[in-house]
Amino acid sequence: MSDDSQNQHDGPDGPDGPAEPSGANGHENLPGRQRRRFPGISSRAYEHPADRSALVALRKLSGFDTVFKALSGLLPERSLRLLFLSDSVRVSDAQFAHLNAMLRDACYILDLEKVPPMYVTQDPQPNAMCIGLDEPIIVVTTGLVELLDEEEMRAVVGHEVGHALSGHSVYRTILLFLTNLALKVAWIPLGNLAIMAIVTALREWFRKSELSADRAGLLVGQDLQASMRGLMKIAGGNHLHEMNVDAFLEQAEEYETGGDLRDSVLKILNVLPRSHPFTTVRAAELKKWAASRDHQRIMDGHYPRRSEDKETSVTDSFRESASSYASNVKGSKDPLMKLVSDIAGGAGDLGGRIRRGFGGATGGAASGSSGTTGGANGTRDGSTGTATDTSTDPSDGPASDNPWDGSGTD
């Protein structure tokens, strides 16, 4: 990347100022409309409560970042940087100028002072990632660049910049390292169980951090339909004329509400190995957040500032996270979540509800016999679609442990 792209970018101040029209040879950012920018915005403004509480707690640990970065010599980060530098194309005014313009624009809107290096690597699989301890780097694949249009790609670039602003690249890199290190001592009695508990918890955080980054992508692109199209293409490929956003969102509704308790259990088992939420779920979550008061307040210029991050209460953040989970359980239409909510509310006839939840029905009371009819439930292997870190691993697949940010679903 050219030197000027690594420095703080210039542009109009103020939350309502237009995005910076940067780029080579008069190339201007698309679309030709004004987008709000958010001077001094804290990543807490868009982070999912579960993601935010974890990050606030980590930031409160004295010397945490310094220790993490001191460990960078033990990690393959330097090797990865050299690999991308030697075998990928670095985005700049001279190479992939339109991506360079979008990257600078995203950093300007989210007020990220230093523009991270960005590389395009040859890979037909649509993907992207943001990694690094010392300095974050963003990598996108040719499959992603060829799949998405300008507006959809802008949302993905904003997604990755959101990861950088939140510090996900730092924490994810070191936590992945610690996880891999722990796996080497899994031979210790009960070590496997302990490690899997840690990995499962980390994946849950990774999935929530992807929802955070999706929100950042919307703040940068400020085009909900483009964000929806991008997620839909990641799920179904470049056949936009054959797909429909509303129908795609209906799939998310059907996924949440359909089936019985058996399906609820299968949903949990299917998502546990994943570092990313399912694509339809991400689309539905993003649409819900876009319609929320929190999003509107940010667009109106009312959001937490980075200067206030040190004053953030860990207790309050965890309380918000717990409240968010409780609210999700209470409002969920999933059969298992409804059952949990009913139990918490003291619902009666619990045994009967569980039997009915698993497709059972009692009958023949008059004859003294009871019959149970079980609905047949066909299950099918869910393809995770394209790997995307969001974690960010270029190879993040259906059962991958990889928390790298993959734009396949980023």
Side-chain angles (χ1 to χ4, degrees), residues 44-57 215 317 320:
R44 292 180 292 115
Y46 58 81
E47 286 165 352
H48 186 280
D51 178 28
R52 186 190 312 134
S53 62
L55 291 174
V56 168
R215 297 174 179 184
S317 296
E320 289 178 14

Side-chain angles (χ1 to χ4, degrees), residues 293-365:
R293 178 59 180 159
D294 289 341
H295 176 251
Q296 187 57 54
R297 283 181 58 81
I298 295 175
M299 297 305 295
D300 290 340
H302 305 294
Y303 50 81
R305 262 62 177 182
R306 240 166 280 166
S307 57
E308 305 164 350
D309 282 351
K310 292 184 179 179
E311 302 170 7
T312 305
S313 167
V314 177
T315 302
D316 289 345
S317 296
F318 276 106
R319 186 179 295 116
E320 289 178 14
S321 177
S323 176
S324 172
Y325 274 109
S327 177
N328 287 341
V329 169
K330 186 176 180 179
S332 175
K333 299 176 183 178
D334 179 82
L336 180 59
M337 293 299 101
K338 286 194 291 185
L339 178 63
V340 171
S341 180
D342 288 344
I343 293 173
D349 189 24
L350 179 59
R353 291 181 64 88
I354 293 177
R355 285 194 297 273
R356 289 192 294 274
F358 279 104
T362 59

Side-chain angles (χ1 to χ4, degrees), residues 51-297:
D51 178 28
R52 186 190 312 134
S53 62
L55 291 174
V56 168
L58 290 175
R59 291 166 185 153
K60 284 290 184 178
L61 294 178
S62 179
F64 186 72
D65 287 350
T66 302
V67 173
F68 267 17
K69 292 176 181 179
L71 291 173
S72 61
L74 302 176
L75 301 171
E77 180 184 6
R78 186 178 298 273
S79 175
L80 284 174
R81 290 180 181 278
L82 290 173
L83 177 64
F84 289 123
L85 182 64
S86 63
D87 205 33
S88 300
V89 176
R90 183 164 57 188
V91 171
S92 67
D93 288 343
Q95 302 185 117
F96 289 100
H98 71 293
L99 293 181
N100 188 47
M102 277 191 270
L103 175 62
R104 290 169 60 90
D105 185 55
C107 292
Y108 178 70
I109 290 175
L110 295 180
D111 201 14
L112 188 64
E113 282 193 12
K114 193 169 184 180
V115 181
M118 183 176 182
Y119 293 89
V120 176
T121 187
Q122 173 63 35
D123 187 341
Q125 184 177 20
N127 204 356
M129 60 181 175
C130 180
I131 57 172
L133 283 176
D134 207 19
E135 294 181 356
I137 61 174
I138 295 172
V139 180
V140 297
T141 66
T142 52
L144 185 70
V145 175
E146 293 164 3
L147 176 66
L148 304 181
D149 66 23
E150 292 280 343
E151 288 293 81
E152 296 155 6
M153 191 69 197
R154 187 184 302 279
V156 169
V157 172
H159 177 113
E160 301 305 327
V161 171
H163 277 310
L165 180 57
S166 287
H168 290 149
S169 59
V170 175
Y171 304 124
R172 288 177 165 188
T173 301
I174 193 68
L175 287 174
L176 178 64
F177 167 72
L178 294 176
T179 300
N180 290 338
L181 179 64
L183 288 173
K184 295 179 181 179
V185 296
W187 55 271
I188 297 176
L190 299 181
N192 245 350
L193 293 177
I195 295 304
M196 286 310 300
I198 295 173
V199 170
T200 299
L202 290 179
R203 284 176 181 155
E204 172 64 9
W205 175 39
F206 294 153
R207 289 191 290 269
K208 293 301 184 287
S209 72
E210 287 307 310
L211 299 181
S212 298
D214 284 343
R215 297 174 179 184
L218 180 60
L219 291 178
V220 168
Q222 298 174 25
D223 185 341
L224 179 61
Q225 288 302 308
S227 294
M228 295 290 105
R229 291 197 311 270
L231 289 169
M232 194 165 58
K233 282 185 176 181
I234 286 168
N238 194 14
H239 305 283
L240 198 56
H241 63 289
E242 298 284 356
M243 297 184 286
N244 179 277
V245 171
D246 292 335
F248 188 64
L249 291 172
E250 287 175 4
Q251 292 179 221
E253 176 73 11
E254 181 179 344
Y255 174 78
E256 181 182 10
T257 62
D260 55 27
L261 290 179
R262 289 169 296 186
D263 295 285
S264 298
V265 173
L266 289 173
K267 291 176 192 176
I268 295 174
L269 295 177
N270 285 340
V271 80
L272 281 179
R274 294 178 56 92
S275 60
H276 284 62
F278 292 113
T279 317
T280 57
V281 174
R282 290 175 64 183
E285 287 287 335
L286 185 59
K287 184 180 181 182
K288 185 189 303 182
W289 186 73
S292 71
R293 178 59 180 159
D294 289 341
H295 176 251
Q296 187 57 54
R297 283 181 58 81

